[in-house]
Amino acid sequence: MTRLSLATLDALKSDVIKPAYDPAGVSVGIVHFGPGAFHRAHQAAFVDALLATDPRWGICGVSLHSKGVRDALAPQDGLYTLAILDEKIEYQVLGSMREVLVGPEDIEGVLERLTRPEVQIVTSTVTEKGYCLDPNWELDFAHPDIVHDLAHPQTPKSYIGYVAEGLRRRYMAGLPPFVLIPCDNLPKNGHRLKAAVVAFVDKLDATLAANIEADLACPCTMVDSITPATDDALRERVKAAISLEDAWPIQREAFTQWVIEEHAHDGGPDWASVGVILTDNVPAYERAKLRLLNGPHSTIAYTGLHKRIESVSEAMKDAELAQLARDLMLSDVVPLLEAPKGLDLTAYSEAILKRFRNPAIRHLLSQIAWDGSQKLPIRLLSSLSEALEKGQEVSRFGVPLAAWMRFIRAKAVAGETITDPLADELIAMGKGLKDDLSDVATFLAYRKVFPEALANDSRVIAAVEGAYQTLLSREQVAA
């Protein structure tokens, strides 16, 4: 079958949504690190809408590891299909990704692109671990990539290293810094990213670090849209829907949200015109999303996997899991949150539960379970800590934590791999467990996940031990 490309756009079925602009006439004004499924389904879709009236903002994607996206999209002139899965399923071809570079293969090409005057924005979806931060949310100077980049700043490996060298070259060329917009699930992501960049540069050039501290705009953001991974079933579905072959289509739910902190950017994109929310209170949106969507998502992932359920929508058909998610959100988390102006937290929670039940989205629990050591502190432990401070009941928080512990133990015993930056340590820990309540103490003593004050609180210990014993008992009955 003929492949999707600029030359074959006219061969698309009539009901496929096509770019409302000529992709060949778009210039690159945004460099994005981490052009994976979420970025291409989310930020790239907002940019695609923007290009209809302002062709300056095409995207250059930069992969720091894999060449897969580049190799898939290059023969397609950067075009790909977005399947929007809801009660009505739509297919849209996006053309905002105008170039994809692979950092390890073309370091100088990436740095040259970062230094072009027309590039005014650098965005990122490199996952929590891609920012090389320590448990205190500060730059981890012991991280191997940071150690390398400080020794060899002109041939960076890390996202932080690329940003720092790109900014240095812009200053040397007399260009203003680009606006740095992180789009990962980190609390205060803009503030923490800027602090990390400044700390990195300060080790090399204190004067430049001071200039960056004064000049660099790095707004906080919040992003939201459920984006399951691409599989062969989606490829076949898209092929039938568009009548062309697409090597790497993507899928997401209809709901999508991007909140950006208001910031000065003369001549920048008109984000509001394409539905981006500009606000002076990103933290309120951020906490609502992280704790009411991501926290329950992780809860459903580990408890669902324990029941051998594969996807979120299937887990929501389990009455016990659906009730757990709803109670956690409305009874435990909502009372802890400040509602941003215009957002009803109860209605927001109910809307999230409806999104979880969406049968058109097959979001694998195994995918959500990735990187648990990095996600749990942000998604669940932050709420748990505040609940303890306010004297709230915390027993339900013990359920996802215990389920994560059983998840690690099961993977370790089975000799299976886990996707987590601390995988080796977690697998070693899992192999040494006694398969009784003493396991809980072993996990709670692991300071890379559990802060000491929280782990030593008797209410937390009781909550996790209670949930852990329930899971143990269920396994024994099932055996």
Side-chain angles (χ1 to χ4, degrees):
M1 180 177 284
T2 304
R3 192 152 173 186
L4 175 65
S5 69
L6 288 175
T8 61
L9 274 175
D10 290 340
L12 289 168
K13 287 187 176 180
S14 59
D15 58 348
V16 177
I17 303 169
K18 303 176 181 66
Y21 54 89
D22 177 9
V26 169
S27 59
V28 170
I30 300 172
V31 172
H32 179 85
F33 285 81
F38 185 79
H39 166 71
R40 293 193 292 124
H42 186 275
Q43 298 97 41
F46 282 97
V47 172
D48 192 84
L50 192 66
L51 292 175
T53 56
D54 192 344
R56 296 177 296 157
W57 305 112
I59 301 168
C60 167
V62 177
S63 174
L64 294 177
H65 303 288
S66 170
K67 61 182 181 180
V69 173
R70 181 199 61 190
D71 292 351
L73 297 190
Q76 300 179 182
D77 302 315
L79 302 179
Y80 60 90
T81 309
L82 170 63
I84 303 173
L85 308 179
D86 210 316
E87 294 177 4
K88 177 184 178 183
I89 298 176
E90 295 183 316
Y91 297 89
Q92 179 178 3
V93 170
L94 302 183
S96 52
M97 186 73 68
R98 302 316 314 137
E99 178 182 46
V100 179
L101 302 176
V102 178
E105 295 183 8
D106 192 8
I107 295 174
E108 192 56 35
V110 175
L111 293 172
E112 190 276 333
R113 178 61 86 177
L114 287 171
T115 314
R116 292 193 186 185
E118 63 268 24
V119 168
Q120 297 185 41
I121 297 170
V122 173
T123 55
S124 54
T125 47
V126 292
T127 76
E128 293 93 333
K129 61 187 176 183
Y131 294 86
C132 301
L133 304 181
D134 64 21
N136 295 317
W137 306 107
E138 297 175 347
L139 186 63
D140 182 2
F141 287 105
H143 191 288
D145 288 351
I146 298 301
V147 172
H148 170 276
D149 291 355
L150 286 172
H152 310 282
Q154 296 186 38
T155 55
K157 291 183 177 181
S158 73
Y159 171 52
I160 300 295
Y162 273 104
V163 169
E165 178 63 11
L167 288 170
R168 186 191 70 82
R169 294 188 180 198
R170 291 183 78 93
Y171 275 98
M172 291 291 291
L175 296 172
F178 37 67
V179 175
L180 199 55
I181 306 179
C183 300
D184 286 288
N185 290 323
L186 293 170
K188 303 178 182 178
N189 54 12
H191 301 161
R192 284 173 170 145
L193 173 56
K194 181 174 180 177
V197 171
V198 171
F200 180 94
V201 174
D202 192 54
K203 294 286 188 181
L204 302 170
D205 184 336
T207 300
L208 177 59
N211 288 335
I212 292 173
E213 176 70 43
D215 300 338
L216 180 65
C218 191
C220 293
T221 68
M222 189 278 281
V223 295
D224 186 10
S225 194
I226 296 172
T227 308
T230 296
D231 55 16
D232 288 338
L234 177 66
R235 290 185 175 90
E236 290 302 315
R237 187 175 184 177
V238 166
K239 183 191 298 185
I242 73 171
S243 295
L244 294 172
E245 184 174 351
D246 185 341
W248 205 330
I250 52 174
Q251 58 186 333
R252 67 161 166 81
E253 62 178 334
F255 178 91
T256 185
Q257 187 178 51
W258 193 2
V259 181
I260 302 178
E261 185 178 26
E262 293 174 340
H263 60 282
H265 186 183
D266 293 339
D270 183 4
W271 291 123
S273 71
V274 293
V276 176
I277 298 171
L278 300 174
T279 179
D280 62 356
N281 193 9
V282 170
Y285 282 95
E286 177 185 83
R287 283 191 294 272
K289 188 258 181 172
L290 286 172
R291 299 187 187 188
L292 290 174
L293 186 141
N294 295 124
H297 237 181
S298 291
T299 298
I300 292 169
Y302 297 117
T303 55
L305 288 170
H306 191 265
K307 288 192 170 191
R308 303 186 184 280
I309 296 172
E310 293 186 350
S311 74
V312 174
S313 59
E314 291 166 9
M316 291 298 289
K317 294 177 183 177
D318 182 295
E320 181 184 31
L321 296 185
Q323 192 64 47
L324 170 65
R326 192 173 193 277
D327 288 344
L328 184 72
M329 295 163 76
L330 294 175
S331 298
D332 299 332
V333 178
V334 165
L336 301 171
L337 296 174
E338 167 203 1
K341 184 178 180 180
L343 183 64
D344 182 309
L345 293 175
T346 298
Y348 179 63
S349 299
E350 295 291 1
I352 289 171
L353 292 168
K354 182 180 179 181
R355 292 164 62 191
F356 286 174
R357 292 190 295 267
N358 183 355
I361 290 284
R362 183 169 167 75
H363 200 176
L364 295 179
L365 302 182
S366 57
Q367 178 190 3
I368 300 168
W370 292 352
D371 300 330
S373 70
Q374 310 298 294
K375 293 175 178 176
L376 290 179
I378 301 169
R379 299 179 172 195
L380 287 163
L381 298 188
S382 55
S383 291
L384 174 55
S385 295
E386 289 187 18
L388 291 169
E389 292 174 5
K390 294 187 175 183
Q392 285 187 197
E393 169 62 38
V394 298
S395 58
R396 253 185 302 270
F397 287 105
V399 178
L401 301 180
W404 175 71
M405 294 171 184
R406 295 307 293 167
F407 169 80
I408 297 298
R409 193 261 176 190
K411 291 287 189 181
V413 170
E416 299 176 359
T417 60
I418 60 172
T419 302
D420 195 290
L422 302 178
D424 291 344
E425 294 180 17
L426 292 171
I427 291 294
M429 187 187 309
K431 289 179 178 179
L433 298 174
K434 297 179 180 179
D435 210 23
D436 58 28
L437 283 184
S438 67
D439 299 348
V440 172
T442 300
F443 274 106
L444 291 179
Y446 189 52
R447 290 292 164 263
K448 292 183 179 180
V449 175
F450 297 100
E452 184 173 2
L454 184 148
N456 290 336
D457 192 295
S458 60
R459 294 166 292 176
V460 174
I461 296 170
V464 180
E465 285 186 345
Y468 201 83
Q469 183 60 60
T470 298
L471 298 179
L472 280 172
S473 298
R474 285 182 176 176
E475 291 173 23
Q476 291 166 359
V477 169

